[in-house]
Amino acid sequence: MSPSPTSTYETYDIVVLGAGYAGLMAALRLGRRQLGLRVALINAEEHFVERVRLQESMVAPVKPRIANLSAYLAKTPVEFIHARVLSLDPVHNKVHLETGESTREVGFTQLIYALGSHVDTDNVPGALQHAFRLDPGDGPRSAAALRVVLHQLAGGPARILAVGGGPLSIEAAGEVKTTWPDMDVTLVSGTRAGDFTSDKVQAVLRRDLTRLGVALVDDERVSEITASEVVTANGRRFTHDVCIWAAGMRAPAIARQAGLTVNTQDRVVVDTDLRSVSHPSILAVGDSAYPNGSTGAPFRPSALTAAVSGVYAAEQAAARVAGRAIRPFSFSTFAQAIAVGRFAALFPLDANDHPVLFVMGGRSARWLRDILVWLVLHFITFERLVPGVQTWPGHKRSAAPVAGEAGNDGSALVRRERSMP
């Protein structure tokens, strides 16, 4: 039975959609009592999902470090609404929600769109039906469902295919092979596995994948996935017991369906103030945003970047209420880390996310990577304890866009997978 409507309707100064790294950080920032704002945070899950740990959940349940968002926000002025977003009406400034067996609407003066992203299955036949993804939740092809199947296959020479060649597929392949060495794990890449940063990084990633025993298949673009095979554009067929699809990320379709200007991955095109170029009362952050301005190329999706963009969006929203302006958003992280099972690759970055200086690999890099993941969560926790304490440090981007990214209309096809902070 479909949810029945109710008469519940409330209006807030600022509504935040999504309680990931970006949304939760924005809500906490806006919860400063001196601002006197009515703020609502809306999320489909009661707990906080650390998306950068989803590859760990393939092998064992990951206990949420923030298990109850209602309790986490109880001592703040932020109202938590446990609901799923059904649609957005940017003309009348309303959000339509599903809460259990009923629906409701909430109104807003400003909205922060922080619904994150999911693995893109739109462009290859069979990916949605036959492949597992590192996505949260309890869906039939989620990371949790993948864990169940992998444990059922444990102890035998199961054939596991990871498809993508970027950070997400590398992490998936490495995690499976580290946990179940007897499984036959193959990484299929459209270009060359690890070919998304520099030759040095690529060499370390490929070395550690090979050390684990992951077979690497390069230059094979997948054209179809069936229940037992992956078919490439070159006509090659790879049989599998499990296919893990990780060839790019896509934001939810809600913004596009509402009429906002989005790019080809449904990320909201925003200017350097993180406001929608088509609907300025709406800001977009984290994986849901596609910055498109003179301060440089779109930021690399990562947990820290999402959290920092949440800080900025909150300040931007508060500044509009106060009738003042703040400087444009220009940020990139100092380093990146990619897990490869019990190993990792960790490397510093320049202002446009190009690797510089050195690349650390092996077990030490994995240990440091896990510390970085822990620190990103505590970047949020410190904001809850001392509202207003966090800023947006890091490199300022150059004015020149990074090669391969979209132009000013945000129309180029960008394939980015989630990577570590």
Side-chain angles (χ1 to χ4, degrees), residues 25 28-29 379-390:
M25 194 68 180
L28 290 171
R29 187 71 163 205
F379 186 82
I380 297 173
T381 301
F382 293 151
E383 183 68 24
R384 174 174 171 264
L385 294 174
V386 186
V389 69
Q390 302 292 15

Side-chain angles (χ1 to χ4, degrees), residues 171-185:
E171 292 186 341
E175 200 73 29
V176 173
K177 193 62 177 177
T178 292
T179 308
W180 295 287
D182 291 337
M183 289 188 177
D184 180 4
V185 181

Side-chain angles (χ1 to χ4, degrees), residues 327-338:
R327 64 180 173 85
F329 184 68
S330 180
F331 172 82
S332 64
T333 54
F334 290 108
Q336 182 177 359
I338 301 164

Side-chain angles (χ1 to χ4, degrees), residues 54-395:
L54 279 178
Q55 92 281 353
E56 298 174 34
S57 72
M58 294 165 51
V59 301
V62 174
K63 183 179 179 181
R65 288 192 264 213
I66 301 174
N68 189 304
L69 286 167
S70 295
Y72 190 77
L73 295 167
K75 295 183 180 180
T76 75
V78 177
E79 180 180 344
F80 177 68
I81 300 175
H82 184 198
R84 184 170 67 92
V85 179
L86 296 177
S87 63
L88 169 64
D89 181 353
V91 176
H92 301 98
N93 284 10
K94 295 180 181 179
V95 183
H96 189 208
L97 307 175
E98 179 184 9
T99 56
E101 296 184 355
S102 65
T103 61
R104 63 180 288 192
E105 288 184 338
V106 297
F108 61 86
T109 302
Q110 295 184 84
L111 180 136
I112 297 178
Y113 188 90
L115 291 176
S117 62
H118 57 269
V119 177
D120 189 354
T121 59
D122 286 3
N123 296 315
V124 172
L128 179 64
Q129 298 86 355
H130 302 301
F132 290 90
R133 283 88 65 183
L134 293 191
D135 280 336
D138 298 319
R141 294 288 166 176
S142 65
L146 173 60
R147 179 175 67 245
V148 173
V149 172
L150 288 173
H151 277 277
Q152 290 172 346
L153 296 171
R159 297 161 300 180
I160 313 298
L161 289 183
V163 181
L168 196 63
S169 56
I170 287 172
E171 292 186 341
E175 200 73 29
V176 173
K177 193 62 177 177
T178 292
T179 308
W180 295 287
D182 291 337
M183 289 188 177
D184 180 4
V185 181
T186 301
L187 177 57
V188 180
S189 308
T191 54
R192 182 175 170 83
D195 183 21
F196 51 87
T197 50
S198 72
D199 290 342
K200 286 184 179 180
V201 175
Q202 180 187 150
V204 170
L205 291 171
R206 293 176 70 89
R207 180 200 68 193
D208 286 346
L209 285 167
T210 302
R211 287 168 67 186
L212 291 174
V214 176
L216 304 179
V217 177
D218 298 324
D219 301 316
E220 291 289 349
R221 188 167 298 278
V222 172
S223 58
E224 183 184 4
I225 300 174
T226 72
S228 60
E229 288 186 322
V230 163
V231 184
T232 73
N234 293 328
R236 294 184 67 182
R237 293 176 178 270
F238 298 89
T239 57
H240 65 82
D241 297 301
V242 171
C243 177
I244 305 171
W245 179 252
M249 304 296 289
R250 177 176 293 276
I254 289 171
R256 171 172 52 80
Q257 293 166 351
L260 276 69
T261 298
V262 298
N263 76 345
T264 51
Q265 280 74 50
D266 288 337
R267 295 169 66 190
V268 178
V269 180
V270 297
D271 212 330
T272 53
D273 56 4
L274 299 190
R275 291 189 178 275
S276 164
V277 296
S278 58
H279 296 78
S281 65
I282 297 175
L283 299 102
V285 290
D287 290 7
S288 294
Y290 188 86
N292 180 48
S294 59
T295 53
F299 49 65
R300 174 180 61 85
S302 73
L304 180 59
T305 303
V308 173
S309 70
V311 172
Y312 179 87
E315 289 294 325
Q316 183 64 243
R320 172 166 285 198
V321 173
R324 58 185 176 85
I326 62 175
R327 64 180 173 85
F329 184 68
S330 180
F331 172 82
S332 64
T333 54
F334 290 108
Q336 182 177 359
I338 301 164
V340 189
R342 62 178 177 270
F343 307 127
L346 186 150
F347 43 95
L349 302 168
D350 67 12
N352 281 328
D353 286 328
H354 296 144
V356 293
L357 301 178
F358 63 87
V359 182
M360 177 186 291
R363 293 178 182 269
S364 296
R366 177 61 198 251
W367 180 73
L368 288 172
R369 175 261 180 200
D370 291 344
I371 291 177
L372 288 176
V373 170
W374 181 85
L375 286 173
V376 172
L377 180 66
H378 284 74
F379 186 82
I380 297 173
T381 301
F382 293 151
E383 183 68 24
R384 174 174 171 264
L385 294 174
V386 186
V389 69
Q390 302 292 15
T391 183
W392 52 99
H395 301 298

